[in-house]
Each structure stands twice: as structure tokens, then as C-alpha cells.
Amino acid sequence: MPKGGRKGGHKGRMRTYTSPEEIDAQMKAEKERNKEEEEEGASLNDGQAEEKVAKSDSEDSDDDSSQKRKGVEGLIDIENPNRVMQKNKKVTDLELEGPRQLSRREREEIEKQKAKERYMKMHLAGKTDQAKADLARLAIIKKQREEAARKKEEERKAKEAAAAAAAAAKGLHTLSLK
């Protein structure tokens, strides 16, 4: 059983909701606090900015001061040598033309496509086992069709010869009756 006992609130109290006016007032108060903090930070940063200019103009190591700090970071300076700062990359700095490393899946997919293309070329050339079997099967079918066509032609010629012989016999028979 949960700590509170039942699902409802503590001892049957009614829930209270904040009104939109209260939310607006809280947001305004929060914005004012943020502005005050920025003004205080700006007055502190003015003194630091003069020191920075005196040190060197080319050094860009304090990028985090230009970014808005969250929480306590604005109050405490952290000098951790192991902390990696996030650097913003510009679109112009990106190298799109350079050779890109392919992932294992992409590389395997490309190899698979190349192997398939090689197999199809060899298959069309008749060098694979499957192509040889197909060609042999086609040759057998071609021979069977040629034999069937030859038999059909011989049967047709035999029928014509029989019909001619029958017609000749009929012709002789009719002549003898006359």
C-alpha cells in the first residue's frame, strides 16, 4: 500500500488550482529577477571585459561567458581542465566533400549489391552453374521441339501421299468402269 494510504490527496483535502492571473504574476516576477541578475552580471562583466582586452584579443577561451549560464553556474567560476566545452560548428566549416567513414551496415549493403551485380554479369555470360543448367535444359527442350516438328511434317507428308494414292486408285477405278 502506498505511503499516503488511498489514491486521493492528504486527508481528503480538495485540490487547489492556480488561476491564470497568478501564473502571469509569477512569470512577471521571474522575468524581473532575471533582468536584475543580468544587470548585476553586466556590471561585473564590464570590469572583466577590460581585463580580457588587456590580456589578448585573439584568445577565445571564454565562450561560456557569452552564453547564458543556468542555475548556480553564473555565480561560481569553474576551472575544471577536464571539462569539455561544447563548440558550435558553423555550416561553412563542415567538410562535406571529404571521405566519409561508412558504417558496417552500409559497407555490407554495398558489398552485397556489388556481389549481386557480379553474379548477374556472370550469369548472363553463362559462366555460373545455374546458367549452365538453364542452357542445357533449353537445349534439350529445343531438340524435343525440333523432333516433334519433324514427326509432324513426316505424318503430314505420309497423309498427303496416302491421299494421292487413294485418289489415283479412285481415278483408275472410275476409268475401268467406263
Side-chain angles (χ1 to χ4, degrees):
M1 218 170 145
K3 188 175 182 182
R6 296 185 184 162
K7 287 186 179 179
H10 181 67
K11 295 187 180 179
R13 258 194 255 159
M14 299 214 25
R15 293 183 181 167
T16 56
Y17 300 101
T18 55
S19 66
E21 293 84 23
E22 290 177 26
I23 294 173
D24 291 338
Q26 289 175 354
M27 295 292 284
K28 287 180 184 177
E30 203 172 302
K31 286 181 183 178
E32 289 175 9
R33 267 189 265 128
N34 287 339
K35 286 182 182 178
E36 289 174 4
E37 288 176 5
E38 288 178 8
E39 289 174 4
E40 290 174 7
S43 63
L44 291 174
N45 285 339
D46 289 341
Q48 292 175 355
E50 292 172 3
E51 293 173 10
K52 286 181 186 176
V53 171
K55 288 182 181 177
S56 73
D57 293 334
S58 64
E59 188 175 334
D60 236 6
S61 63
D62 285 336
D63 287 335
D64 60 340
S65 65
S66 64
Q67 296 176 352
K68 187 175 179 182
R69 294 183 175 183
K70 299 177 185 173
V72 193
E73 287 183 16
L75 302 174
I76 302 171
D77 287 332
I78 300 173
E79 294 186 22
N80 186 353
N82 296 329
R83 183 174 181 218
V84 177
M85 293 299 298
Q86 204 174 23
K87 295 183 181 179
N88 295 333
K89 292 184 179 181
K90 295 181 181 179
V91 176
T92 56
D93 295 340
L94 294 176
E95 294 180 21
L96 297 176
E97 293 83 28
R100 194 179 124 236
Q101 293 288 336
L102 298 175
S103 68
R104 179 185 54 85
R105 285 186 182 166
E106 291 172 339
R107 199 173 33 238
E108 287 176 357
E109 188 175 327
I110 290 171
E111 288 173 5
K112 193 183 232 184
Q113 288 175 351
K114 287 182 180 178
K116 194 172 190 178
E117 289 174 7
R118 267 187 269 120
Y119 181 80
M120 289 305 295
K121 283 181 184 177
M122 290 179 65
H123 185 75
L124 291 174
K127 295 181 180 179
T128 62
D129 294 336
Q130 187 178 5
K132 290 176 184 175
D134 290 345
L135 291 173
R137 200 172 33 242
L138 288 172
I140 292 170
I141 292 171
K142 193 174 182 182
K143 286 180 184 178
Q144 289 174 349
R145 287 182 182 168
E146 287 175 359
E147 289 175 9
R150 210 177 300 126
K151 283 184 182 178
K152 206 173 197 181
E153 185 67 26
E154 289 174 6
E155 288 176 6
R156 187 181 59 82
K157 286 182 181 178
K159 279 186 182 180
E160 286 179 6
K170 253 188 188 181
L172 288 177
H173 185 10
T174 55
L175 286 177
S176 62
L177 291 178
K178 287 184 180 181

